[in-house]
Amino acid sequence: MSTPDRGPRVRLVDVARAAGVSKTTVSDALNGAGRLPAATREHVQKVARSLGYRPNATARLLRAGHTRLLGVAAREYVETPWVYPELAYFAQIVTATTRAALAHGYGVVLLPTYGPDDCWLDMPLDGVFVIDPVQADPMVRDFLAAGVPVVADRRALAEAADQARDIGRWVDFDYAAAVRQVLGHLEEAGAERVAVVAGATTACFHQQTTRAYLQWCAERRREPRIAYLPAPGVQPALDAVTELLAAPAPPDALLTLVELSPPLLLDTIRRLGRSVPDDLLLVCATEDPAARYTDPPISTLGFLPGQTAQAAVDLLVDCLEGRAGDAGRLFSADFQARASSAPPARRAARPPRLTRG
Amino acid sequence: MSTPDRGPRVRLVDVARAAGVSKTTVSDALNGAGRLPAATREHVQKVARSLGYRPNATARLLRAGHTRLLGVAAREYVETPWVYPELAYFAQIVTATTRAALAHGYGVVLLPTYGPDDCWLDMPLDGVFVIDPVQADPMVRDFLAAGVPVVADRRALAEAADQARDIGRWVDFDYAAAVRQVLGHLEEAGAERVAVVAGATTACFHQQTTRAYLQWCAERRREPRIAYLPAPGVQPALDAVTELLAAPAPPDALLTLVELSPPLLLDTIRRLGRSVPDDLLLVCATEDPAARYTDPPISTLGFLPGQTAQAAVDLLVDCLEGRAGDAGRLFSADFQARASSAPPARRAARPPRLTRG
DNA sequence: TATTCGTGAAGGAACGTTCCTGCACAAGAC
DNA sequence: GTCTTGTGCAGGAACGTTCCTTCACGAATA
């Protein structure tokens, strides 16, 4: 095994010359194609190995007409670039996307959420998965216009209009239904003043969850109690919670729709002199597995990052490889009711409320 | 603006034909090269736009001889694939790598930590950053053998021997020094029985931190109290802590070297009837920002994922673009002493210890 | 012996760019 | 009127593969 010398890389023709055969023979020998006797095949392989030959990936991609590379972009905090992978949800999405892509033989490129316009178009991508696109998302538009299939939500695809025709697939999340499910659960547990901590971006998730909450309040003629966070961060989130709980006639239930460490939140609430679930019912929208291990365990609203990503990749790959496949997939949330939002015992001891059977 | 029709993509020659000029002229007009009067340039650009022309990324990469794509692989839990981005450290590394790469005009591909051997070699990468390589890491070896520059730690590079000669750069972390710093801090705060929760993989971080702790114990003729976790996960980590604290002559200080939610850990310790820092000094190796907001705030040992990634990308890009640059960078840890490891007041009330001035 | 047939391998086009070279032509210098 | 100089553009090689086509040759068949 001689040390491969630096300098210009050894190419297919170099192997061919060294082995005394043609390019064709080398290519066939290494790729298991063509009609070659085992002897020739082995000889070529040996020469290739001894020269340290590695095929040029770019050249074979050009020839193949595809790159087997998928882009993934998480746009939620597009205004405050690059925080997203610190959040468990996005980390899990990215993980699951990569895993699913690998299973199909694709690699995954992390796309910038900001930067020089169009900079993403220089990347050799076969398809793109845009998570939580912002309104009139330029990334979605650009890729579709460039003929690169995109998976995003239906709204984003619709905004990109005609370009999306047959190279867009959707993965939708019924955020509104998820929020209503939780609010219904809290109402059944006896909550009358549900407060919400929400993100204030143009991302689909924030927009839809907020709207669902406001509408739910309107239907019940209740005053919404909502704290908006323009950017992620522990301190702003804790401040928001503190302020909500300090209000006159404080809330008797809290739903957090921003990423926040559940055990830390629980501890903060305790330090504010409230007890969960006795004084305050608590539900967190989070993927943090720590929520199951607190005392009491915290009810969570999860958004199935694994399943979502898997579906997105499947749709994308179907589209890329010319299979029919679905036009999209609709997901609902994963609500895990735990002790933090159970009806408190002290209420059970009260006289039964007349408003319910 | 006519809708670009599906079917075969519009190529450079198509634009040339439509504009009545040659390929050269189109290429020059769109790339701002050559000697062209403004009129021709604008005409070509207009035709290109109207046809919806987008240059083929793969073709220009082949021509350019590079792909402007960097791979990043986090190998720590290579045995239990794909959990890593759920951990704050790796998420931050990946984020920072992507950001730093983008600043240099590069994209980032997430590499699989497992999968069919060599599957990573089919990707068109200019360089690779391998975080926390395992022993005799095949990925490092393969890439170096294929002539792809790699940034990893010195040990991994040394193991890949001659291949690494001039296309490997190192980013080292003095994990041992970091651990000793924390242990020294705990000792000064009065700890006499420091227990450790450590990961049990072949990753550099786990190996070196564990060895440093064992050596530190040996130097002091103290019995090591160490719980090994073969895989990440909340429950196993909490179980390990519980078991350590339940031992006869329980530890008076705890250092966790696996990813674990700091507020959850603090709560668990409390539920076990111990109080931080009065009964137990606590330091967590974590990047979780929540550690600063608990009561008491938790001392943390951080590993500067942002700076490490930035340095790795800088080294890689230097290497790729033929600049001299450093051969490597050595990092030390970021230890933040907070109240969770402060000498408890009750000890200050004791008579001063004779062993120290 | 002439014809098919199968095997083994070479030649060269194609993928879609970029960029080097060179041609035609006009304007200015002599 | 010839000779330079410069401008505007076209032709074609090259990047490193894959794969389609062709061809030579020996064996089997008519």
Side-chain angles (χ1 to χ4, degrees):
Chain A
M1 179 99 51
S2 70
T3 304
D5 44 5
R6 284 285 134 267
R9 269 187 62 168
V10 29
R11 298 158 304 163
L12 193 68
V13 289
D14 300 323
V15 177
R17 253 193 294 270
V21 296
S22 73
K23 293 183 306 169
T24 311
T25 307
V26 176
S27 179
D28 286 349
L30 298 181
N31 294 329
R35 319 172 281 208
L36 295 181
T40 310
R41 211 174 282 274
E42 284 160 17
H43 172 234
V44 169
Q45 287 169 351
K46 202 159 74 178
V47 172
R49 214 173 2 249
S50 78
L51 291 180
Y53 168 72
R54 290 291 172 174
N56 177 302
T58 311
R60 41 179 14 173
L61 294 184
L62 175 61
R63 189 74 240 272
H66 58 241
T67 64
R68 293 278 125 95
L69 243 31
L70 264 29
V72 57
R75 309 279 289 166
E76 180 169 9
Y77 292 106
V78 70
E79 301 87 354
T80 57
W82 295 119
V83 297
Y84 65 78
E86 298 172 19
L87 309 178
Y89 173 72
F90 288 114
Q92 291 188 33
I93 278 270
V94 167
T95 307
T97 303
T98 313
R99 187 194 298 130
L102 179 68
H104 287 288
Y106 286 73
V108 166
V109 177
L110 276 178
L111 257 25
T113 53
Y114 75 112
D117 268 357
D118 293 19
C119 70
W120 43 69
L121 283 177
D122 291 335
M123 298 184 178
L125 303 177
D126 279 351
V128 177
F129 174 29
V130 180
I131 305 156
D132 245 357
V134 294
Q135 273 174 6
D137 201 306
M139 185 182 272
V140 173
R141 174 177 39 75
D142 286 351
F143 275 118
L144 287 174
V148 178
V150 170
V151 166
D153 57 40
R154 255 182 297 196
R155 180 188 51 85
L157 257 30
E159 283 171 359
D162 47 305
Q163 282 126 359
R165 272 212 321 285
D166 51 350
I167 56 169
R169 299 280 184 277
W170 52 266
V171 168
D172 268 14
F173 225 105
D174 198 342
Y175 293 122
V179 166
R180 296 182 77 90
Q181 180 184 5
V182 172
L183 294 172
H185 167 84
L186 291 172
E187 193 171 37
E188 275 188 31
E192 292 172 350
R193 299 180 302 279
V194 181
V196 160
V197 181
T201 75
T202 62
C204 195
F205 171 67
H206 288 156
Q207 297 265 316
Q208 292 190 17
T209 51
T210 304
R211 191 162 348 141
Y213 169 71
L214 293 176
Q215 190 173 344
W216 187 84
C217 290
E219 288 166 10
R220 281 157 186 74
R221 308 207 177 284
R222 290 191 184 155
E223 187 198 359
R225 299 148 177 264
I226 188 162
Y228 292 100
L229 294 184
V234 180
Q235 189 68 62
L238 293 181
D239 289 347
V241 170
T242 305
E243 198 178 322
L244 281 176
L245 296 191
D252 53 8
L254 179 65
L255 167 61
T256 60
L257 294 169
V258 297
E259 193 73 30
L260 182 55
S261 162
L264 178 62
L265 176 59
L266 191 59
D267 192 50
T268 304
I269 292 171
R270 277 200 192 115
R271 281 190 264 162
L272 290 170
R274 316 277 313 262
S275 138
V276 172
D278 293 327
D279 297 334
L280 186 75
L281 304 177
L282 179 62
V283 176
C284 295
T286 185
E287 313 297 327
D288 192 335
R292 304 176 53 175
Y293 300 97
T294 53
D295 179 27
I298 298 174
S299 301
T300 53
L301 187 61
F303 290 100
L304 310 167
Q307 294 178 43
T308 315
Q310 174 79 51
V313 170
D314 289 347
L315 289 168
L316 214 38
V317 171
D318 274 352
C319 185
L320 290 172
E321 302 185 350
R323 282 190 294 274
D326 298 335
R329 291 278 304 276
L330 178 62
F331 284 91
S332 46
D334 174 41
F335 176 53
Q336 296 285 339
R338 301 201 181 93
S340 76
S341 63
R346 62 174 176 82
R347 287 190 188 152
R350 282 183 187 172
R353 296 155 70 212
L354 295 181
T355 50
R356 332 192 75 195
Chain B
M1 179 97 53
S2 69
T3 304
D5 44 4
R6 286 282 135 266
R9 270 186 62 166
V10 29
R11 298 159 304 165
L12 193 68
V13 289
D14 300 323
V15 178
R17 252 192 295 271
V21 296
S22 73
K23 293 183 307 168
T24 310
T25 307
V26 176
S27 179
D28 287 349
L30 297 181
N31 294 328
R35 317 173 283 209
L36 295 182
T40 310
R41 213 174 279 274
E42 284 160 17
H43 173 234
V44 170
Q45 286 169 352
K46 202 158 74 177
V47 172
R49 213 172 5 245
S50 79
L51 290 180
Y53 168 72
R54 290 293 173 173
N56 178 301
T58 311
R60 41 180 11 173
L61 294 184
L62 175 60
R63 187 75 239 272
H66 58 240
T67 65
R68 292 278 127 93
L69 242 31
L70 264 29
V72 57
R75 307 279 289 166
E76 179 170 9
Y77 292 106
V78 70
E79 301 87 354
T80 56
W82 295 118
V83 298
Y84 65 79
E86 300 173 17
L87 309 177
Y89 173 73
F90 288 114
Q92 291 187 33
I93 279 269
V94 167
T95 308
T97 303
T98 313
R99 187 193 297 127
L102 179 68
H104 288 286
Y106 285 72
V108 166
V109 177
L110 275 177
L111 258 23
T113 54
Y114 75 114
D117 269 357
D118 293 20
C119 70
W120 43 70
L121 284 177
D122 290 335
M123 298 184 178
L125 303 176
D126 280 350
V128 177
F129 174 28
V130 180
I131 305 155
D132 245 357
V134 295
Q135 273 174 6
D137 201 307
M139 186 182 271
V140 173
R141 173 176 40 75
D142 287 351
F143 275 118
L144 287 174
V148 178
V150 170
V151 166
D153 57 40
R154 255 182 297 198
R155 178 187 54 84
L157 258 29
E159 284 171 358
D162 47 305
Q163 283 126 356
R165 272 212 323 283
D166 52 349
I167 56 168
R169 299 281 185 275
W170 52 266
V171 168
D172 268 13
F173 226 105
D174 198 343
Y175 292 123
V179 167
R180 295 184 77 91
Q181 180 185 5
V182 172
L183 293 172
H185 167 83
L186 291 172
E187 194 171 37
E188 274 188 33
E192 292 172 349
R193 299 179 304 279
V194 181
V196 160
V197 181
T201 76
T202 63
C204 195
F205 170 67
H206 288 156
Q207 297 265 317
Q208 291 191 18
T209 50
T210 304
R211 191 159 350 139
Y213 170 70
L214 293 175
Q215 191 173 342
W216 187 84
C217 290
E219 288 166 9
R220 278 155 188 76
R221 307 207 177 284
R222 290 192 185 155
E223 185 198 0
R225 298 150 178 264
I226 187 162
Y228 291 100
L229 294 185
V234 179
Q235 190 67 63
L238 294 181
D239 289 346
V241 170
T242 305
E243 198 178 322
L244 281 175
L245 296 191
D252 54 7
L254 180 65
L255 167 61
T256 59
L257 294 169
V258 296
E259 193 72 30
L260 182 56
S261 162
L264 178 61
L265 176 59
L266 190 60
D267 192 50
T268 304
I269 292 171
R270 276 199 193 118
R271 281 191 263 162
L272 290 170
R274 317 275 317 257
S275 137
V276 173
D278 292 325
D279 299 332
L280 187 75
L281 304 177
L282 179 63
V283 177
C284 294
T286 185
E287 313 297 327
D288 192 336
R292 303 176 54 176
Y293 301 95
T294 54
D295 178 27
I298 299 174
S299 302
T300 53
L301 187 62
F303 291 100
L304 308 167
Q307 295 179 43
T308 315
Q310 174 79 51
V313 170
D314 288 348
L315 288 169
L316 214 41
V317 172
D318 275 352
C319 186
L320 290 173
E321 301 186 349
R323 283 190 293 274
D326 298 335
R329 290 280 304 276
L330 178 62
F331 283 90
S332 45
D334 173 42
F335 176 52
Q336 296 285 339
R338 302 202 180 92
S340 76
S341 63
R346 61 173 178 81
R347 288 191 190 152
R350 284 184 187 171
R353 296 154 70 211
L354 296 180
T355 48
R356 334 191 72 192

